[in-house]
Amino acid sequence: MARLSVNINKIATLRNARGGNIPDVVLAAKRIESFGAQGITVHPRPDERHIRYDDVLQLKEVITTELNVEGNPVKSFMDLVTTVKPHQVTLVPDTVDQLTSDSGWDTVKHHEFLKEVIGELKRYGIRSSIFVDPVPEQIENALKTGADRIELYTESYASNYDENAEKAIARYKESADVAARSGLGINAGHDLSLNNIEYFAENIPQLDEVSIGHALIAESLYEGLSKVISQYLNKLK
Ligand code: PXP
């Protein structure tokens, strides 16, 4: 069974909208673990507009499952992860002001850079994963960098799923076969949701882990609202 790592960046975004510490990301992470999720993912960006570097330090102290830290390995990011030593670092080629990740690495063009970064992570005993598009050549070259895993960028799967699920998954099946044959672990993430996750997991049996944030937090709001509203109505009686 693939493991679920919950990306809690959106909880930090909500907190940052007001100042203060509500919602508390550390408390939320503990609850998420207590409900059965097998990991917590954070994506600190250099401008700290979602998760802050200090959150990552605090989370490392309390997380009892797996901590996955995603990001572009700029100096401040590498300083953070080599201090925190999370279980896994996922390398993502996002620029500083990017709204969200929108492509995988070009593992051919950035081969030397990725190899160097992954070597550094290995020296600290950190598992590495490279965010890639579902393109066999990119995956073969990810292996040559020394990475332990790839994370398949699932945006195109998610956006085409409703129209033609079989067609949407085809490139991912092929990519997962290439990765599994070469011994790379397989993670996946971006725009996965309750609507599309089951079909993805069924068709990619080699899947090790999914990291899900945006849809999962939105779905939690929808599901949780009925409980909270009835509690308010009770108090107002
Ligand atoms: N994987 C990576 C590399 C990401 O950048 C993100 C978004 O921060 C995710 C997974 C999770 O995507 P979503 O929030 O759409 O579930």
Side-chain angles (χ1 to χ4, degrees):
M1 193 179 126
R3 296 162 71 87
L4 172 65
S5 185
V6 176
N7 180 318
I8 60 170
N9 264 47
K10 284 281 150 17
I11 299 175
T13 306
L14 193 55
R15 175 200 60 191
N16 298 351
R18 258 287 165 105
N21 197 32
I22 298 176
D24 177 338
V25 293
V26 171
L27 179 63
K30 284 189 189 163
R31 294 230 175 138
I32 287 166
E33 287 187 318
S34 76
F35 296 141
Q38 294 114 333
I40 299 292
T41 292
V42 286
H43 192 145
R45 295 174 191 269
D47 62 6
E48 302 192 284
R49 67 184 192 270
H50 313 306
I51 281 285
R52 301 177 185 136
Y53 281 28
D54 184 54
D55 293 327
V56 186
L57 294 167
Q58 288 185 45
L59 286 163
K60 178 62 201 291
E61 295 304 314
V62 299
I63 280 175
T64 56
T65 57
E66 277 208 2
L67 179 61
N68 173 41
V69 183
E70 302 172 346
N72 194 328
V74 295
K75 185 176 180 316
S76 58
F77 180 88
M78 288 305 285
D79 288 346
L80 176 72
V81 296
T82 53
T83 304
V84 171
K85 300 186 196 65
H87 300 92
Q88 176 174 270
V89 164
T90 302
L91 303 173
V92 185
D94 55 354
T95 54
V96 173
D97 53 357
Q98 201 162 315
L99 197 56
T100 184
S101 317
D102 63 3
S103 70
W105 283 97
D106 183 335
T107 56
V108 180
K109 188 169 167 197
H110 299 289
H111 170 85
E112 278 311 313
F113 174 67
L114 290 168
K115 198 171 155 188
E116 207 176 292
V117 168
I118 285 164
E120 179 75 349
L121 295 174
K122 273 195 201 309
R123 278 192 283 286
Y124 284 85
I126 303 168
R127 188 171 76 223
S128 57
S129 178
I130 303 185
F131 192 54
V132 285
D133 293 309
V135 175
E137 188 199 6
Q138 292 299 334
I139 293 160
E140 281 154 9
N141 281 285
L143 176 71
K144 293 182 193 155
T145 64
D148 301 298
R149 293 190 184 184
I150 49 155
E151 178 179 323
L152 292 169
Y153 175 40
T154 46
E155 190 275 335
S156 90
Y157 162 73
S159 57
N160 293 307
Y161 171 80
D162 283 332
E163 201 181 316
N164 187 337
E166 211 177 311
K167 197 168 162 205
I169 198 81
R171 290 198 302 151
Y172 291 86
K173 280 167 98 167
E174 193 192 342
S175 300
D177 286 343
V178 171
R181 268 202 305 276
S182 57
L184 280 165
I186 303 169
N187 297 343
H190 224 285
D191 296 308
L192 294 174
S193 69
L194 282 175
N195 178 45
N196 59 39
I197 186 68
E198 192 172 4
Y199 186 79
F200 191 85
E202 270 171 16
N203 280 279
I204 313 286
Q206 313 96 325
L207 191 61
D208 288 298
E209 179 184 303
V210 288
S211 71
I212 310 184
H214 189 76
L216 187 149
I217 299 300
E219 289 152 353
S220 301
L221 285 177
Y222 298 142
E223 296 285 327
L225 279 171
S226 67
K227 194 172 165 188
V228 173
I229 293 213
S230 73
Q231 285 179 18
Y232 271 93
L233 292 175
N234 267 334
K235 297 210 183 274
L236 290 168
K237 257 186 205 152

